[in-house]
Amino acid sequence: MQIGKVKGSVVATQKDEKLADLKLLVVEVVTHRNEATDRYVVAVDAVDAGPGDVVLFATGSSARQTSLTDNKPCDAVIMAIVDSWDLGGPNVYEKWTDT
Amino acid sequence: MQIGKVKGSVVATQKDEKLADLKLLVVEVVTHRNEATDRYVVAVDAVDAGPGDVVLFATGSSARQTSLTDNKPCDAVIMAIVDSWDLGGPNVYEKWTDT
Amino acid sequence: MQIGKVKGSVVATQKDEKLADLKLLVVEVVTHRNEATDRYVVAVDAVDAGPGDVVLFATGSSARQTSLTDNKPCDAVIMAIVDSWDLGGPNVYEKWTDT
Amino acid sequence: MQIGKVKGSVVATQKDEKLADLKLLVVEVVTHRNEATDRYVVAVDAVDAGPGDVVLFATGSSARQTSLTDNKPCDAVIMAIVDSWDLGGPNVYEKWTDT
Amino acid sequence: MQIGKVKGSVVATQKDEKLADLKLLVVEVVTHRNEATDRYVVAVDAVDAGPGDVVLFATGSSARQTSLTDNKPCDAVIMAIVDSWDLGGPNVYEKWTDT
């Protein structure tokens, strides 16, 4: 998994029928030091995430292992909202102090 | 998933029999800020897309989860045509204003 | 899928028994503008390709979806020989004018 | 598989229900010469690893082949703690001399 | 598949039980012109390879398609020892002249 920040959402009305009702979010990947990168992924939201949330996403076939994405043409899923993480010292990120 | 712009199509008559009748499109990957990149993918079209369309594509085993691509040697599929997306402010891309 | 040019072949006599009789080709990846890159893949040939041919290859689990590669430890397969492709204008590549 | 060093852990209370009780560790990828890189992965711990441990991790569908991660939306798993490795000469890394 | 050179091996006693008895080798990836790269992979050996051997390795779910790696948390496998390869001219590599 990688960590990312939800930046916005994608609207698509003409799509494979299996994708009906799935929320598609634009996630900007961050480093483990919580630095922005230029990489992104469009991921299905399985945990009621929204813009500004820092999240974990899984890719590949693992992205189909939620009840929401099972058997669907989806290669990225947000499967957790991050509260905090550390690298052996103080927290690198804390949801409750994120502004 | 990633966002891309359909640029053209690939013609191939000598191919694995499972690929008969599939439309193969050349998709140039764009950033989440809608900037062109040098990366591309050849994807099977599952949503009647065409040149100029901005699309979502899925890769890997997820590309086989449409009725069109099931059990086929296809590792990329266009599964949605994008109407618009945003990064928390005004839309970065809008199909109806795209020229 | 990506587009590549077949450059040569790999000889390997000591190999997993499932790989017996499979032809292994060295494919140099090209850009969608038909420029050479430094990237390559060794792929199983499922379409009777040979040196000089411009081909499509699929990677990952999708590479096992041909009758030739089913259930085999193969992560790349040539599943089409390219006749031509375009990017919205004249053909970028044409097999019949390739020298 | 790649080699990495466990740096810390991720706390996430709002997550897919299949992820309950899984320990999520931040692993910094190292080169085969045991040099730090800027790449990382968040991996499920299947071997009781902790900060400072040098580990092997597997990604993709292979990350779901432990009893802990089976059928879960997890694309990276720590499946071994490294004791040592070499590149044909003296050990590049030894757990018992790592400080 | 990619081509690599076996450089050494990894020792790991604390590991997922499915990995017992598997030999883990450090493989340095080479280009198709047989140039060293900085990339590596730790792969399970399915063909009795050893340091100095030039090998083919498969990654992802395809790495689990040998009898040795079936259903195991392994994302890379050495499935062939390379005798030689060419790029349309003289051999780029020959095992019998490799020193």
Side-chain angles (χ1 to χ4, degrees):
Chain A
M1 283 73 70
Q2 295 258 296
I3 307 169
K5 186 162 196 165
V6 179
K7 305 299 279 188
S9 59
V10 175
V11 178
T13 45
Q14 190 175 335
K15 56 187 166 185
D16 186 83
E17 58 185 3
K18 289 187 186 177
L19 293 171
D21 303 321
L22 293 186
K23 188 166 56 161
L24 297 163
L25 296 178
V26 182
V27 179
E28 198 174 71
V29 184
V30 298
T31 70
H32 55 315
R33 286 183 285 273
N34 200 24
E35 302 151 337
T37 74
D38 257 347
R39 291 180 295 121
Y40 80 99
V41 69
V42 176
V44 168
D45 174 28
V47 291
D48 203 19
D53 281 337
V54 171
V55 297
L56 279 179
F57 64 92
T59 58
S61 59
S62 301
R64 301 196 306 272
Q65 304 293 319
T66 72
S67 54
L68 206 62
T69 54
D70 190 32
N71 291 319
K72 293 182 182 167
C74 153
D75 64 9
V77 70
I78 297 172
M79 18 63 85
I81 295 180
V82 174
D83 294 323
S84 66
W85 83 83
D86 73 282
L87 297 175
N91 283 334
V92 171
Y93 167 82
E94 294 175 337
K95 187 180 179 178
W96 55 92
T97 60
D98 189 32
T99 55
Chain B
M1 283 72 71
Q2 295 257 293
I3 306 170
K5 187 163 196 163
V6 179
K7 305 299 280 189
S9 58
V10 175
V11 178
T13 46
Q14 189 176 336
K15 55 187 166 185
D16 186 83
E17 58 185 2
K18 290 187 184 177
L19 293 172
D21 304 320
L22 293 186
K23 188 166 56 161
L24 296 163
L25 296 178
V26 182
V27 179
E28 198 173 72
V29 184
V30 298
T31 69
H32 55 314
R33 286 181 285 273
N34 200 23
E35 301 150 337
T37 73
D38 258 347
R39 291 179 295 122
Y40 79 100
V41 70
V42 175
V44 168
D45 175 27
V47 291
D48 203 19
D53 281 336
V54 171
V55 298
L56 279 180
F57 64 92
T59 58
S61 59
S62 300
R64 300 196 307 272
Q65 305 292 321
T66 72
S67 54
L68 207 62
T69 54
D70 190 32
N71 291 319
K72 293 181 182 168
C74 153
D75 65 8
V77 71
I78 297 172
M79 18 62 85
I81 296 180
V82 174
D83 294 322
S84 66
W85 83 84
D86 73 282
L87 298 175
N91 284 334
V92 171
Y93 167 82
E94 292 175 337
K95 187 181 179 178
W96 55 92
T97 60
D98 190 32
T99 56
Chain C
M1 282 73 69
Q2 296 258 294
I3 306 169
K5 187 163 197 163
V6 179
K7 305 299 280 189
S9 59
V10 177
V11 179
T13 45
Q14 190 174 336
K15 56 188 165 185
D16 186 83
E17 59 185 3
K18 290 188 184 175
L19 293 172
D21 304 320
L22 293 186
K23 189 166 55 162
L24 296 164
L25 296 178
V26 182
V27 180
E28 198 172 73
V29 184
V30 299
T31 70
H32 55 315
R33 285 181 287 273
N34 199 23
E35 302 150 336
T37 74
D38 258 346
R39 290 180 296 121
Y40 79 100
V41 70
V42 176
V44 169
D45 175 28
V47 290
D48 202 19
D53 281 337
V54 171
V55 297
L56 279 180
F57 64 93
T59 58
S61 58
S62 300
R64 301 196 306 272
Q65 305 293 320
T66 72
S67 54
L68 207 62
T69 53
D70 190 31
N71 291 319
K72 294 181 181 167
C74 153
D75 64 8
V77 71
I78 296 172
M79 18 62 85
I81 296 180
V82 173
D83 294 324
S84 66
W85 83 85
D86 72 282
L87 298 175
N91 284 334
V92 172
Y93 167 83
E94 293 175 337
K95 186 180 179 177
W96 56 92
T97 60
D98 190 32
T99 55
Chain D
M1 282 74 70
Q2 295 257 296
I3 307 170
K5 186 162 196 166
V6 179
K7 304 299 279 189
S9 58
V10 176
V11 179
T13 46
Q14 190 175 336
K15 56 188 165 185
D16 186 83
E17 57 185 4
K18 289 187 185 176
L19 292 171
D21 304 320
L22 292 185
K23 188 166 57 161
L24 297 164
L25 296 178
V26 182
V27 180
E28 198 174 71
V29 183
V30 299
T31 70
H32 55 315
R33 285 182 286 273
N34 200 23
E35 302 151 337
T37 73
D38 257 347
R39 291 180 296 121
Y40 79 100
V41 69
V42 176
V44 168
D45 174 28
V47 290
D48 203 18
D53 282 337
V54 171
V55 297
L56 281 178
F57 64 91
T59 57
S61 58
S62 300
R64 300 197 305 273
Q65 305 292 320
T66 71
S67 54
L68 206 61
T69 52
D70 191 32
N71 292 317
K72 294 182 182 168
C74 153
D75 64 9
V77 71
I78 297 172
M79 18 61 86
I81 295 180
V82 174
D83 294 324
S84 66
W85 84 84
D86 73 281
L87 298 175
N91 283 334
V92 172
Y93 167 82
E94 294 175 336
K95 188 180 178 179
W96 55 93
T97 60
D98 189 33
T99 54
Chain E
M1 282 74 69
Q2 295 257 295
I3 307 170
K5 187 162 197 164
V6 179
K7 305 299 278 190
S9 58
V10 176
V11 178
T13 45
Q14 190 175 337
K15 56 187 165 186
D16 186 84
E17 58 185 3
K18 289 186 185 176
L19 293 172
D21 305 320
L22 294 185
K23 189 166 55 161
L24 297 163
L25 296 178
V26 182
V27 180
E28 198 172 73
V29 184
V30 299
T31 70
H32 55 315
R33 286 182 286 272
N34 199 23
E35 302 151 337
T37 73
D38 258 346
R39 290 180 296 121
Y40 79 100
V41 70
V42 176
V44 168
D45 175 28
V47 291
D48 203 18
D53 281 338
V54 170
V55 298
L56 280 179
F57 64 91
T59 58
S61 58
S62 301
R64 299 196 307 272
Q65 305 293 320
T66 72
S67 54
L68 207 62
T69 53
D70 190 31
N71 291 318
K72 293 181 182 169
C74 153
D75 64 8
V77 71
I78 297 171
M79 18 62 85
I81 295 180
V82 174
D83 293 324
S84 66
W85 83 85
D86 72 282
L87 299 174
N91 283 333
V92 172
Y93 167 83
E94 294 174 337
K95 187 180 179 178
W96 55 93
T97 60
D98 189 33
T99 55

